[in-house]
Amino acid sequence: MWSGIMASMEITVDDVKFLRSCVDAIVNLIEEGTLELGSDAMGVRAMDASQIAMVVFSAPKSAFAGYKVSGSEKVGVNFADLSKILGRGRSKDKLIIKRKENKLELEFRGKGSKRHFSLPLLEDAGGGQKEPKVEHDALVKIRGGEFKEMLRDVALVSSHLTMEAKGKEFMVSAKGDSAEMSAVSEKGEKKEFEVDAKKEARATFPLQYLDDIAKACPDDELMSIHLRSNKPVKLDYKIGKAGLTYYLAPRIEDE
Amino acid sequence: MWSGIMASMEITVDDVKFLRSCVDAIVNLIEEGTLELGSDAMGVRAMDASQIAMVVFSAPKSAFAGYKVSGSEKVGVNFADLSKILGRGRSKDKLIIKRKENKLELEFRGKGSKRHFSLPLLEDAGGGQKEPKVEHDALVKIRGGEFKEMLRDVALVSSHLTMEAKGKEFMVSAKGDSAEMSAVSEKGEKKEFEVDAKKEARATFPLQYLDDIAKACPDDELMSIHLRSNKPVKLDYKIGKAGLTYYLAPRIEDE
Amino acid sequence: MWSGIMASMEITVDDVKFLRSCVDAIVNLIEEGTLELGSDAMGVRAMDASQIAMVVFSAPKSAFAGYKVSGSEKVGVNFADLSKILGRGRSKDKLIIKRKENKLELEFRGKGSKRHFSLPLLEDAGGGQKEPKVEHDALVKIRGGEFKEMLRDVALVSSHLTMEAKGKEFMVSAKGDSAEMSAVSEKGEKKEFEVDAKKEARATFPLQYLDDIAKACPDDELMSIHLRSNKPVKLDYKIGKAGLTYYLAPRIEDE
């Protein structure tokens, strides 16, 4: 680990809440991972422990009040611990993040008080996986809040759901032991909803993963869902200037 | 089960919250039961599993935006599942309830979205018990919120309580290992409170049942309590146009 | 137990919430104890079960709407039960506390309702310990809310913390297995913060006790922290007209 010598960093955050939302969007899927710091952006690419889902996070330099990273640096971080520390930020605090040898130093500066946390860096926290390439047949754009409501409907009946796009319709359905459900969103009346299906697309996914993926999406934010029959779905949305992309493998049922 | 052939039904609900309150008032006491659909009203009459309490629910045709039931029909329903589904209704949704063979179909129609749940009907879900006939000696009218506060006072000291009406007073009291309590409501200062006791009446009941019975009563709604010494108490209140009546057996103590 | 004969008491409380806050400030540290009723004030002095912390409570006669105590009286009370009963007071209730033989009688009087609780008195509930005398080197005055925030920062990393005062700074720090923290409050910018350190003072305490001690302090109230290196810390604050003082033993680490 010579990176302490190779590079230095100092990141200033005015809106601690923004950074916490980003870290939560990662931590919902993976607990530990590698933060890649480039001179123009910060990013994370990681598979979840079960290798079923992947998260790709990227925030440009401009998302921060200050961003000084010379060269490129990789720091292994426990995102769960980092999220808890960010949760201690107060509304008017300024946050300065530095690396000091094998620690990540976080300093909250408020009126008449300074609070300082230091977090050990992890060696070999994994990460850096390649994104899967799938040509999708259908693209659905739906508000985060709307999609999360659909997932709550599903939760009443099953732990799996089927997503389907055809024509101008996007449908979520599930079948449980004691009840069944289906929810259809239709293009037309709602402005913030789009379906573009070159071909009918339909696949089945575990509910828990979609919950974890959608959780951090702001309710008003548009989420894009890229579907292809029985292929991994790609979901992406923005948190402020940062982008989150998720891939989730389908459940292939025997026929 | 020929009822699919014998009759058909379609009920339209504008205020899903109203219907959910009614179902919750039932489900607090019994999980499964038979919904009796007549041409003019919908009803439920059922004993709880321990045979200590009974609930009688009745909602007239006029409580619904649409109510088409030809003949009379009995459908066995898991009220707990039904309550969860009704809980998914959004404020502007319209709900259409239909029966389709051995399923109850619920469709929420909102702006640009349709959500559909189907629930299996149960065979032989019990119900249809006769209401006990007791000539009561005292009638107390008290606001639901007031009565629930009394039950919370009791909860501090015991799992049983004694209700007593005499003159212009209604008294609730309880005796526990570490403390005792009594709460007296008196006619006079409070408008929404009445006691009409032809004879002094006093009986002891399990707190948990009274909690379950009172839970669904709106805080502002008047609850009627019909008491007679050591006889089942009858409690009733309205939820909108629907009526709920409960009977609860007393605890007879050895002397 | 001849005290029933020796003395009589009647205390009237207009602000039940105030009394509940006081009892909670005691109960956070000790569950049972002796309430000492003098003709001019009410008080409690008690060690916690582990003998690590002590609470001294005192409320003058003037803190109550009515306070009639002839002579002096000691009543053993389960403060946990008393707190729950006080929690049942409603905003406009008047509370009358009396002693009746071996019971404490509490009566809430509201509009058109009277509620009555009786609590058995305890024999030999302990109490009456002497306050430790320590000449402290540093006095810190900090708002309750501010101090509680510092404790929440600590909670992320460890179950122990070090408090330190020197010059115009007050510092709290903690070191855990996975992270470290420190929080510094500095005299100057903040009005409601003072440090008066004749000599540098520094000691380590268990977090849980400081949580229990600070919990009942109103966020806006000034808390005084009297520090001396490796000696018991003394913390005090007011709840209305009542005063709370706590002593907490330091953790002496082997070197």
Side-chain angles (χ1 to χ4, degrees), chain B residues 54-84:
Chain B
M54 184 176 173
V55 54
V56 180
F57 163 74
S58 173
K61 193 176 169 170
S62 63
F64 304 94
Y67 185 91
K68 276 182 258 171
V69 176
S70 60
S72 83
E73 201 160 347
K74 292 188 181 192
V75 290
V77 176
N78 183 310
F79 289 112
D81 287 343
L82 180 59
S83 166
K84 282 181 209 150

PDB file of all heavy atoms in Angstrom, chain B residues 54-84:
ATOM      1  N   MET B  54     -68.106 -11.249  20.690  1.00  0.00           N
ATOM      2  CA  MET B  54     -68.797 -11.368  19.413  1.00  0.00           C
ATOM      3  C   MET B  54     -68.834 -10.003  18.741  1.00  0.00           C
ATOM      4  O   MET B  54     -68.974  -8.984  19.414  1.00  0.00           O
ATOM      5  CB  MET B  54     -70.234 -11.847  19.679  1.00  0.00           C
ATOM      6  CG  MET B  54     -71.012 -12.094  18.412  1.00  0.00           C
ATOM      7  SD  MET B  54     -72.660 -12.764  18.814  1.00  0.00           S
ATOM      8  CE  MET B  54     -73.347 -12.735  17.150  1.00  0.00           C
ATOM      9  N   VAL B  55     -68.707 -10.018  17.409  1.00  0.00           N
ATOM     10  CA  VAL B  55     -68.818  -8.763  16.668  1.00  0.00           C
ATOM     11  C   VAL B  55     -69.956  -8.862  15.658  1.00  0.00           C
ATOM     12  O   VAL B  55     -70.131  -9.894  15.016  1.00  0.00           O
ATOM     13  CB  VAL B  55     -67.485  -8.415  15.938  1.00  0.00           C
ATOM     14  CG1 VAL B  55     -67.014  -9.548  15.045  1.00  0.00           C
ATOM     15  CG2 VAL B  55     -67.622  -7.118  15.127  1.00  0.00           C
ATOM     16  N   VAL B  56     -70.753  -7.812  15.591  1.00  0.00           N
ATOM     17  CA  VAL B  56     -71.825  -7.725  14.600  1.00  0.00           C
ATOM     18  C   VAL B  56     -71.604  -6.446  13.806  1.00  0.00           C
ATOM     19  O   VAL B  56     -71.623  -5.355  14.357  1.00  0.00           O
ATOM     20  CB  VAL B  56     -73.213  -7.675  15.269  1.00  0.00           C
ATOM     21  CG1 VAL B  56     -74.307  -7.591  14.208  1.00  0.00           C
ATOM     22  CG2 VAL B  56     -73.415  -8.884  16.172  1.00  0.00           C
ATOM     23  N   PHE B  57     -71.369  -6.617  12.515  1.00  0.00           N
ATOM     24  CA  PHE B  57     -71.110  -5.464  11.650  1.00  0.00           C
ATOM     25  C   PHE B  57     -72.227  -5.352  10.637  1.00  0.00           C
ATOM     26  O   PHE B  57     -72.724  -6.355  10.129  1.00  0.00           O
ATOM     27  CB  PHE B  57     -69.765  -5.664  10.937  1.00  0.00           C
ATOM     28  CG  PHE B  57     -69.566  -4.785   9.737  1.00  0.00           C
ATOM     29  CD1 PHE B  57     -69.295  -3.430   9.899  1.00  0.00           C
ATOM     30  CD2 PHE B  57     -69.650  -5.299   8.453  1.00  0.00           C
ATOM     31  CE1 PHE B  57     -69.114  -2.607   8.799  1.00  0.00           C
ATOM     32  CE2 PHE B  57     -69.468  -4.476   7.349  1.00  0.00           C
ATOM     33  CZ  PHE B  57     -69.203  -3.136   7.522  1.00  0.00           C
ATOM     34  N   SER B  58     -72.612  -4.119  10.323  1.00  0.00           N
ATOM     35  CA  SER B  58     -73.647  -3.939   9.307  1.00  0.00           C
ATOM     36  C   SER B  58     -73.458  -2.617   8.582  1.00  0.00           C
ATOM     37  O   SER B  58     -73.318  -1.567   9.209  1.00  0.00           O
ATOM     38  CB  SER B  58     -75.021  -3.979   9.975  1.00  0.00           C
ATOM     39  OG  SER B  58     -75.998  -3.651   9.029  1.00  0.00           O
ATOM     40  N   ALA B  59     -73.428  -2.673   7.249  1.00  0.00           N
ATOM     41  CA  ALA B  59     -73.306  -1.445   6.456  1.00  0.00           C
ATOM     42  C   ALA B  59     -74.399  -1.426   5.404  1.00  0.00           C
ATOM     43  O   ALA B  59     -74.544  -2.385   4.636  1.00  0.00           O
ATOM     44  CB  ALA B  59     -71.940  -1.383   5.788  1.00  0.00           C
ATOM     45  N   PRO B  60     -75.200  -0.363   5.364  1.00  0.00           N
ATOM     46  CA  PRO B  60     -76.289  -0.305   4.383  1.00  0.00           C
ATOM     47  C   PRO B  60     -75.729  -0.036   2.974  1.00  0.00           C
ATOM     48  O   PRO B  60     -74.634   0.494   2.821  1.00  0.00           O
ATOM     49  CB  PRO B  60     -77.114   0.882   4.867  1.00  0.00           C
ATOM     50  CG  PRO B  60     -76.113   1.783   5.520  1.00  0.00           C
ATOM     51  CD  PRO B  60     -75.110   0.875   6.156  1.00  0.00           C
ATOM     52  N   LYS B  61     -76.506  -0.393   2.002  1.00  0.00           N
ATOM     53  CA  LYS B  61     -76.226  -0.119   0.580  1.00  0.00           C
ATOM     54  C   LYS B  61     -75.735   1.310   0.369  1.00  0.00           C
ATOM     55  O   LYS B  61     -74.803   1.570  -0.394  1.00  0.00           O
ATOM     56  CB  LYS B  61     -77.558  -0.331  -0.153  1.00  0.00           C
ATOM     57  CG  LYS B  61     -77.488  -0.414  -1.637  1.00  0.00           C
ATOM     58  CD  LYS B  61     -78.896  -0.725  -2.189  1.00  0.00           C
ATOM     59  CE  LYS B  61     -78.886  -0.553  -3.705  1.00  0.00           C
ATOM     60  NZ  LYS B  61     -80.114  -1.064  -4.326  1.00  0.00           N
ATOM     61  N   SER B  62     -76.368   2.245   1.091  1.00  0.00           N
ATOM     62  CA  SER B  62     -76.075   3.669   0.876  1.00  0.00           C
ATOM     63  C   SER B  62     -74.685   4.075   1.355  1.00  0.00           C
ATOM     64  O   SER B  62     -74.229   5.186   1.103  1.00  0.00           O
ATOM     65  CB  SER B  62     -77.122   4.537   1.577  1.00  0.00           C
ATOM     66  OG  SER B  62     -77.059   4.312   2.975  1.00  0.00           O
ATOM     67  N   ALA B  63     -73.985   3.170   2.047  1.00  0.00           N
ATOM     68  CA  ALA B  63     -72.632   3.491   2.500  1.00  0.00           C
ATOM     69  C   ALA B  63     -71.625   3.383   1.356  1.00  0.00           C
ATOM     70  O   ALA B  63     -70.471   3.776   1.494  1.00  0.00           O
ATOM     71  CB  ALA B  63     -72.225   2.563   3.642  1.00  0.00           C
ATOM     72  N   PHE B  64     -72.105   2.859   0.212  1.00  0.00           N
ATOM     73  CA  PHE B  64     -71.196   2.632  -0.912  1.00  0.00           C
ATOM     74  C   PHE B  64     -71.583   3.467  -2.122  1.00  0.00           C
ATOM     75  O   PHE B  64     -72.749   3.791  -2.311  1.00  0.00           O
ATOM     76  CB  PHE B  64     -71.213   1.137  -1.281  1.00  0.00           C
ATOM     77  CG  PHE B  64     -70.865   0.251  -0.118  1.00  0.00           C
ATOM     78  CD1 PHE B  64     -71.859  -0.301   0.683  1.00  0.00           C
ATOM     79  CD2 PHE B  64     -69.532  -0.003   0.196  1.00  0.00           C
ATOM     80  CE1 PHE B  64     -71.537  -1.090   1.778  1.00  0.00           C
ATOM     81  CE2 PHE B  64     -69.210  -0.801   1.293  1.00  0.00           C
ATOM     82  CZ  PHE B  64     -70.207  -1.331   2.082  1.00  0.00           C
ATOM     83  N   ALA B  65     -70.594   3.802  -2.947  1.00  0.00           N
ATOM     84  CA  ALA B  65     -70.873   4.560  -4.170  1.00  0.00           C
ATOM     85  C   ALA B  65     -71.709   3.718  -5.123  1.00  0.00           C
ATOM     86  O   ALA B  65     -72.564   4.240  -5.852  1.00  0.00           O
ATOM     87  CB  ALA B  65     -69.558   4.984  -4.826  1.00  0.00           C
ATOM     88  N   GLY B  66     -71.467   2.430  -5.128  1.00  0.00           N
ATOM     89  CA  GLY B  66     -72.286   1.518  -5.925  1.00  0.00           C
ATOM     90  C   GLY B  66     -72.410   0.203  -5.180  1.00  0.00           C
ATOM     91  O   GLY B  66     -71.466  -0.239  -4.524  1.00  0.00           O
ATOM     92  N   TYR B  67     -73.595  -0.381  -5.247  1.00  0.00           N
ATOM     93  CA  TYR B  67     -73.801  -1.640  -4.523  1.00  0.00           C
ATOM     94  C   TYR B  67     -74.820  -2.465  -5.294  1.00  0.00           C
ATOM     95  O   TYR B  67     -76.022  -2.189  -5.242  1.00  0.00           O
ATOM     96  CB  TYR B  67     -74.295  -1.334  -3.107  1.00  0.00           C
ATOM     97  CG  TYR B  67     -74.435  -2.556  -2.206  1.00  0.00           C
ATOM     98  CD1 TYR B  67     -73.367  -2.974  -1.412  1.00  0.00           C
ATOM     99  CD2 TYR B  67     -75.620  -3.285  -2.165  1.00  0.00           C
ATOM    100  CE1 TYR B  67     -73.485  -4.081  -0.590  1.00  0.00           C
ATOM    101  CE2 TYR B  67     -75.743  -4.401  -1.346  1.00  0.00           C
ATOM    102  CZ  TYR B  67     -74.671  -4.788  -0.553  1.00  0.00           C
ATOM    103  OH  TYR B  67     -74.804  -5.887   0.261  1.00  0.00           O
ATOM    104  N   LYS B  68     -74.312  -3.424  -6.066  1.00  0.00           N
ATOM    105  CA  LYS B  68     -75.215  -4.303  -6.803  1.00  0.00           C
ATOM    106  C   LYS B  68     -75.045  -5.728  -6.323  1.00  0.00           C
ATOM    107  O   LYS B  68     -74.011  -6.352  -6.573  1.00  0.00           O
ATOM    108  CB  LYS B  68     -74.896  -4.246  -8.302  1.00  0.00           C
ATOM    109  CG  LYS B  68     -75.555  -3.075  -9.019  1.00  0.00           C
ATOM    110  CD  LYS B  68     -75.241  -3.115 -10.511  1.00  0.00           C
ATOM    111  CE  LYS B  68     -74.153  -2.110 -10.843  1.00  0.00           C
ATOM    112  NZ  LYS B  68     -73.632  -2.207 -12.206  1.00  0.00           N
ATOM    113  N   VAL B  69     -76.018  -6.201  -5.590  1.00  0.00           N
ATOM    114  CA  VAL B  69     -75.993  -7.585  -5.152  1.00  0.00           C
ATOM    115  C   VAL B  69     -77.376  -8.158  -5.425  1.00  0.00           C
ATOM    116  O   VAL B  69     -78.373  -7.667  -4.919  1.00  0.00           O
ATOM    117  CB  VAL B  69     -75.668  -7.698  -3.647  1.00  0.00           C
ATOM    118  CG1 VAL B  69     -75.754  -9.159  -3.200  1.00  0.00           C
ATOM    119  CG2 VAL B  69     -74.295  -7.131  -3.345  1.00  0.00           C
ATOM    120  N   SER B  70     -77.424  -9.167  -6.276  1.00  0.00           N
ATOM    121  CA  SER B  70     -78.732  -9.772  -6.564  1.00  0.00           C
ATOM    122  C   SER B  70     -78.879 -10.972  -5.660  1.00  0.00           C
ATOM    123  O   SER B  70     -77.977 -11.784  -5.549  1.00  0.00           O
ATOM    124  CB  SER B  70     -78.810 -10.180  -8.034  1.00  0.00           C
ATOM    125  OG  SER B  70     -77.801 -11.102  -8.333  1.00  0.00           O
ATOM    126  N   GLY B  71     -80.021 -11.062  -5.010  1.00  0.00           N
ATOM    127  CA  GLY B  71     -80.233 -12.157  -4.072  1.00  0.00           C
ATOM    128  C   GLY B  71     -79.375 -11.958  -2.848  1.00  0.00           C
ATOM    129  O   GLY B  71     -79.093 -10.833  -2.432  1.00  0.00           O
ATOM    130  N   SER B  72     -78.934 -13.044  -2.254  1.00  0.00           N
ATOM    131  CA  SER B  72     -78.063 -12.903  -1.097  1.00  0.00           C
ATOM    132  C   SER B  72     -76.908 -13.875  -1.254  1.00  0.00           C
ATOM    133  O   SER B  72     -77.033 -14.933  -1.866  1.00  0.00           O
ATOM    134  CB  SER B  72     -78.825 -13.167   0.197  1.00  0.00           C
ATOM    135  OG  SER B  72     -78.888 -14.549   0.419  1.00  0.00           O
ATOM    136  N   GLU B  73     -75.775 -13.465  -0.726  1.00  0.00           N
ATOM    137  CA  GLU B  73     -74.561 -14.229  -0.982  1.00  0.00           C
ATOM    138  C   GLU B  73     -73.729 -14.281   0.281  1.00  0.00           C
ATOM    139  O   GLU B  73     -73.685 -13.320   1.032  1.00  0.00           O
ATOM    140  CB  GLU B  73     -73.796 -13.502  -2.100  1.00  0.00           C
ATOM    141  CG  GLU B  73     -72.831 -14.381  -2.818  1.00  0.00           C
ATOM    142  CD  GLU B  73     -72.482 -13.791  -4.184  1.00  0.00           C
ATOM    143  OE1 GLU B  73     -73.176 -12.852  -4.638  1.00  0.00           O
ATOM    144  OE2 GLU B  73     -71.513 -14.276  -4.764  1.00  0.00           O
ATOM    145  N   LYS B  74     -73.036 -15.402   0.496  1.00  0.00           N
ATOM    146  CA  LYS B  74     -72.143 -15.508   1.643  1.00  0.00           C
ATOM    147  C   LYS B  74     -70.735 -15.786   1.141  1.00  0.00           C
ATOM    148  O   LYS B  74     -70.519 -16.746   0.406  1.00  0.00           O
ATOM    149  CB  LYS B  74     -72.573 -16.655   2.559  1.00  0.00           C
ATOM    150  CG  LYS B  74     -73.896 -16.368   3.258  1.00  0.00           C
ATOM    151  CD  LYS B  74     -74.204 -17.420   4.298  1.00  0.00           C
ATOM    152  CE  LYS B  74     -75.563 -17.085   4.940  1.00  0.00           C
ATOM    153  NZ  LYS B  74     -75.815 -17.862   6.140  1.00  0.00           N
ATOM    154  N   VAL B  75     -69.800 -14.935   1.529  1.00  0.00           N
ATOM    155  CA  VAL B  75     -68.432 -15.176   1.089  1.00  0.00           C
ATOM    156  C   VAL B  75     -67.506 -15.261   2.301  1.00  0.00           C
ATOM    157  O   VAL B  75     -67.475 -14.372   3.150  1.00  0.00           O
ATOM    158  CB  VAL B  75     -67.935 -14.098   0.088  1.00  0.00           C
ATOM    159  CG1 VAL B  75     -68.648 -14.238  -1.245  1.00  0.00           C
ATOM    160  CG2 VAL B  75     -68.122 -12.705   0.623  1.00  0.00           C
ATOM    161  N   GLY B  76     -66.752 -16.362   2.360  1.00  0.00           N
ATOM    162  CA  GLY B  76     -65.790 -16.554   3.447  1.00  0.00           C
ATOM    163  C   GLY B  76     -64.525 -15.789   3.129  1.00  0.00           C
ATOM    164  O   GLY B  76     -63.954 -15.938   2.051  1.00  0.00           O
ATOM    165  N   VAL B  77     -64.112 -14.922   4.051  1.00  0.00           N
ATOM    166  CA  VAL B  77     -63.004 -14.017   3.753  1.00  0.00           C
ATOM    167  C   VAL B  77     -61.976 -14.055   4.881  1.00  0.00           C
ATOM    168  O   VAL B  77     -62.325 -14.144   6.053  1.00  0.00           O
ATOM    169  CB  VAL B  77     -63.525 -12.566   3.606  1.00  0.00           C
ATOM    170  CG1 VAL B  77     -62.372 -11.596   3.387  1.00  0.00           C
ATOM    171  CG2 VAL B  77     -64.523 -12.471   2.475  1.00  0.00           C
ATOM    172  N   ASN B  78     -60.706 -13.969   4.519  1.00  0.00           N
ATOM    173  CA  ASN B  78     -59.675 -13.724   5.512  1.00  0.00           C
ATOM    174  C   ASN B  78     -59.613 -12.199   5.687  1.00  0.00           C
ATOM    175  O   ASN B  78     -59.044 -11.493   4.848  1.00  0.00           O
ATOM    176  CB  ASN B  78     -58.328 -14.278   5.058  1.00  0.00           C
ATOM    177  CG  ASN B  78     -57.274 -14.084   6.117  1.00  0.00           C
ATOM    178  OD1 ASN B  78     -57.113 -12.974   6.633  1.00  0.00           O
ATOM    179  ND2 ASN B  78     -56.555 -15.138   6.475  1.00  0.00           N
ATOM    180  N   PHE B  79     -60.207 -11.689   6.762  1.00  0.00           N
ATOM    181  CA  PHE B  79     -60.295 -10.240   6.954  1.00  0.00           C
ATOM    182  C   PHE B  79     -58.922  -9.605   7.164  1.00  0.00           C
ATOM    183  O   PHE B  79     -58.706  -8.443   6.829  1.00  0.00           O
ATOM    184  CB  PHE B  79     -61.219  -9.921   8.134  1.00  0.00           C
ATOM    185  CG  PHE B  79     -62.669 -10.185   7.856  1.00  0.00           C
ATOM    186  CD1 PHE B  79     -63.349 -11.194   8.506  1.00  0.00           C
ATOM    187  CD2 PHE B  79     -63.349  -9.420   6.914  1.00  0.00           C
ATOM    188  CE1 PHE B  79     -64.696 -11.446   8.248  1.00  0.00           C
ATOM    189  CE2 PHE B  79     -64.697  -9.655   6.642  1.00  0.00           C
ATOM    190  CZ  PHE B  79     -65.362 -10.676   7.303  1.00  0.00           C
ATOM    191  N   ALA B  80     -57.983 -10.389   7.713  1.00  0.00           N
ATOM    192  CA  ALA B  80     -56.634  -9.854   7.919  1.00  0.00           C
ATOM    193  C   ALA B  80     -55.972  -9.548   6.573  1.00  0.00           C
ATOM    194  O   ALA B  80     -55.394  -8.465   6.385  1.00  0.00           O
ATOM    195  CB  ALA B  80     -55.799 -10.837   8.736  1.00  0.00           C
ATOM    196  N   ASP B  81     -56.078 -10.483   5.618  1.00  0.00           N
ATOM    197  CA  ASP B  81     -55.529 -10.229   4.278  1.00  0.00           C
ATOM    198  C   ASP B  81     -56.263  -9.077   3.601  1.00  0.00           C
ATOM    199  O   ASP B  81     -55.649  -8.222   2.960  1.00  0.00           O
ATOM    200  CB  ASP B  81     -55.636 -11.493   3.406  1.00  0.00           C
ATOM    201  CG  ASP B  81     -54.632 -12.564   3.819  1.00  0.00           C
ATOM    202  OD1 ASP B  81     -53.665 -12.223   4.529  1.00  0.00           O
ATOM    203  OD2 ASP B  81     -54.815 -13.735   3.437  1.00  0.00           O
ATOM    204  N   LEU B  82     -57.595  -9.073   3.737  1.00  0.00           N
ATOM    205  CA  LEU B  82     -58.399  -8.026   3.107  1.00  0.00           C
ATOM    206  C   LEU B  82     -58.008  -6.649   3.644  1.00  0.00           C
ATOM    207  O   LEU B  82     -57.882  -5.676   2.891  1.00  0.00           O
ATOM    208  CB  LEU B  82     -59.889  -8.298   3.366  1.00  0.00           C
ATOM    209  CG  LEU B  82     -60.873  -7.288   2.773  1.00  0.00           C
ATOM    210  CD1 LEU B  82     -60.726  -7.192   1.256  1.00  0.00           C
ATOM    211  CD2 LEU B  82     -62.319  -7.657   3.136  1.00  0.00           C
ATOM    212  N   SER B  83     -57.765  -6.558   4.950  1.00  0.00           N
ATOM    213  CA  SER B  83     -57.382  -5.287   5.560  1.00  0.00           C
ATOM    214  C   SER B  83     -56.065  -4.782   4.987  1.00  0.00           C
ATOM    215  O   SER B  83     -55.911  -3.592   4.699  1.00  0.00           O
ATOM    216  CB  SER B  83     -57.262  -5.455   7.078  1.00  0.00           C
ATOM    217  OG  SER B  83     -56.587  -4.353   7.635  1.00  0.00           O
ATOM    218  N   LYS B  84     -55.106  -5.695   4.814  1.00  0.00           N
ATOM    219  CA  LYS B  84     -53.815  -5.287   4.251  1.00  0.00           C
ATOM    220  C   LYS B  84     -53.972  -4.759   2.829  1.00  0.00           C
ATOM    221  O   LYS B  84     -53.362  -3.762   2.451  1.00  0.00           O
ATOM    222  CB  LYS B  84     -52.840  -6.470   4.264  1.00  0.00           C
ATOM    223  CG  LYS B  84     -52.231  -6.732   5.630  1.00  0.00           C
ATOM    224  CD  LYS B  84     -51.263  -7.912   5.568  1.00  0.00           C
ATOM    225  CE  LYS B  84     -51.202  -8.624   6.916  1.00  0.00           C
ATOM    226  NZ  LYS B  84     -50.907 -10.065   6.768  1.00  0.00           N
TER     227      LYS B  84
END
